[in-house]
Amino acid sequence: MTACAIEPAAEHEDDDVPRAVCTITADGSYAARLALDGDCWFPERWTLDGPEPYAVPLPAHQPEEPGTEVQPMGDGRVLIRRPTDGRHIFSLLYPTGPGTGELPLGAVQCPDEGTRLRMLPPAPGGDKAYALAAGRRSSAVWLVAGGAFGPEQVAEVPGRCSGGVWLDRGGRMLALDRGSGGRTKAVVVDLERGGEVSPLLQIADDSDDRLLLADPDSGLLLIRSDAPSPGRERLGWGVLGSTLPVRFPECLRVPDCAVTPFAIQPGQVLTPESCGVALRIDGPVGSWVGVWRPAERRVRHLPAPEGWLAGAGLWSRDGVLQLPYTTRAVPCGVARWEAPQRGAGPDSNCGCRRAGATSHDGAAEGQRHDAAPTEAPSVPAATRPVPLQQAPLGGLVTK
């Protein structure tokens, strides 16, 4: 089976946003992706919490069609969504010796052609999975795995929603980006109170404010908004429940590049500004990795490992960034970047080591790129979220 880092066609509303080619459970134990064997797509599960990562292919009796999504569960099974004729069929896949077992869960009907259904990010705990059906006037949150009687609708939100970020370790508070009245604002959906909706981001009345990433431990939020530069979206950060304004660091603006955060370092409960944030940077010369902390005024630019499943990765609590990759020589590998800690001097190095299923590349790389390259670099109790508000923007854009 050959490896490929190209993502199959999917039903994404934001086609210009870089998408991860694999999905990782909230605790980092498993990952799942659609891999390519010749011209055929098939599900593949990665085990990440052992001494070495390894992959288990989970092919069905026929190749998967475009639009199929897979998501790992906490027990090692893989949830698969297969769209067909206005219906979305869900099953759990698991290895059975030489074959693949499949447990049907049921289907979600989406007869309206304007409704798009997609999986939400893996929920904390790993025993449940959710999907978002975004319609023209309202959006529904579906519990598609982990329920008692198959897929069930658990919330309905007025407006067309996108995104999806978990705000707590209990899988109760879900943030969505809701479009209404020509503007997009992030809201919170409380899944334990009948889908009660409350505002989360209200930076300016006439701004589009989206939540990209959140860390339940520290409350650190990564935001994209055009509030500081009307008509031009910028990356910013805030802290859940804080009275301080959202800040938009100048160092997160990389000319002619799209910058997308994909992982936050957990465990920094009282110091959100010290959390490591991993960035996927896509530019004319390719894709690479950026590492940034809110307390710093620069982004460290790192070469992505060969075969990186771009946009996928996770942090350990002690500050090691893990990036899954696949090559012909190493079909299932994880590169680990030991990023400098806060306050490290300009000559500090980022050591890199790789772990693969079939071979090792243990040579450390001491090279670090601080400037944007011109060529490609070689469980706390859940609390009610407090809306983030930013007062007049003048002077609040930080460098």
Side-chain angles (χ1 to χ4, degrees):
M1 295 182 177
T2 58
C4 183
I6 301 174
E7 186 177 13
E11 297 176 335
H12 293 311
E13 189 161 330
D14 301 321
D15 292 332
D16 57 334
V17 177
R19 300 284 175 176
V21 294
C22 81
T23 305
I24 304 173
T25 55
D27 65 358
S29 296
Y30 296 99
R33 72 182 189 116
L34 287 174
L36 193 62
D37 181 15
D39 296 327
C40 300
W41 294 101
F42 67 94
E44 186 177 76
R45 187 199 71 193
W46 289 27
T47 299
L48 303 176
D49 60 351
E52 290 186 354
Y54 66 91
V56 176
L58 296 170
H61 62 279
Q62 65 182 24
E64 302 299 338
E65 298 291 332
T68 299
E69 282 186 291
V70 293
Q71 185 172 117
M73 303 294 292
D75 60 4
R77 293 183 293 181
V78 172
L79 177 67
I80 187 166
R81 176 187 70 88
R82 297 182 175 110
T84 174
D85 298 329
R87 302 172 72 237
H88 299 264
I89 302 172
F90 294 88
S91 298
L92 287 171
L93 307 178
Y94 54 92
T96 57
T100 300
E102 183 165 340
L103 175 63
L105 298 177
V108 175
Q109 295 275 359
C110 292
D112 187 348
E113 292 184 358
T115 299
R116 292 172 177 259
L117 186 142
R118 61 174 179 82
M119 297 297 301
L120 287 167
D127 58 341
K128 296 180 180 180
Y130 295 84
L132 177 68
R136 290 188 176 93
R137 295 181 177 84
S138 66
S139 301
V141 178
W142 286 81
L143 174 63
V144 295
F149 306 104
E152 60 178 299
Q153 183 176 321
V154 294
E156 185 170 4
V157 182
R160 191 173 181 89
C161 295
S162 58
V165 176
W166 296 101
L167 299 177
D168 67 323
R169 292 291 182 192
R172 171 180 174 179
M173 298 295 187
L174 173 67
L176 297 172
D177 300 327
R178 180 175 65 177
S180 180
R183 295 295 175 189
T184 299
K185 303 287 184 181
V187 298
V188 180
V189 182
D190 189 336
L191 298 181
E192 290 190 5
R193 300 185 65 176
E196 181 179 288
V197 180
S198 57
L200 177 63
L201 292 180
Q202 303 178 59
I203 298 180
D205 291 339
D206 58 349
S207 63
D208 292 318
D209 311 316
R210 296 177 172 86
L211 180 63
L212 304 182
L213 216 55
D215 172 52
D217 293 335
S218 64
L220 178 64
L221 306 179
L222 273 295
I223 295 156
R224 193 183 301 278
S225 174
D226 62 354
S229 306
R232 292 184 298 133
E233 292 187 334
R234 294 186 55 178
L235 279 181
W237 70 279
V239 178
L240 193 64
S242 173
T243 58
L244 296 176
V246 176
R247 278 157 281 187
F248 296 88
E250 188 68 24
C251 65
L252 294 182
R253 301 178 68 182
V254 182
D256 302 320
C257 294
V259 181
T260 307
F262 64 88
I264 300 178
Q265 180 184 357
Q268 315 301 300
V269 178
L270 301 178
T271 54
E273 69 280 354
S274 68
C275 291
V277 179
L279 310 167
R280 170 180 173 174
I281 305 176
D282 297 276
V285 296
S287 300
W288 62 95
V289 180
V291 175
W292 168 78
R293 289 184 174 85
E296 298 180 349
R297 296 188 177 184
R298 63 174 177 174
V299 174
R300 303 175 189 272
H301 296 266
L302 312 174
E306 180 186 358
W308 178 40
L309 302 179
L314 70 154
W315 285 94
S316 68
R317 289 177 176 267
D318 56 357
V320 178
L321 178 60
Q322 303 171 60
L323 303 173
Y325 70 93
T326 178
T327 65
R328 290 185 180 275
V330 184
C332 175
V334 175
R336 295 181 172 89
W337 292 94
E338 299 177 0
Q341 296 300 311
R342 179 182 172 184
D347 295 328
S348 300
N349 292 329
C350 295
C352 173
R353 54 193 175 89
R354 303 185 181 205
T358 58
S359 64
H360 291 281
D361 180 3
E365 291 185 22
Q367 187 177 9
R368 177 177 54 78
H369 300 261
D370 281 331
T374 56
E375 54 185 52
S378 11
V379 184
T383 56
R384 191 73 184 167
V386 177
L388 289 177
Q389 183 79 34
Q390 184 166 359
L393 292 166
L396 292 179
V397 178
T398 60
K399 294 185 178 179

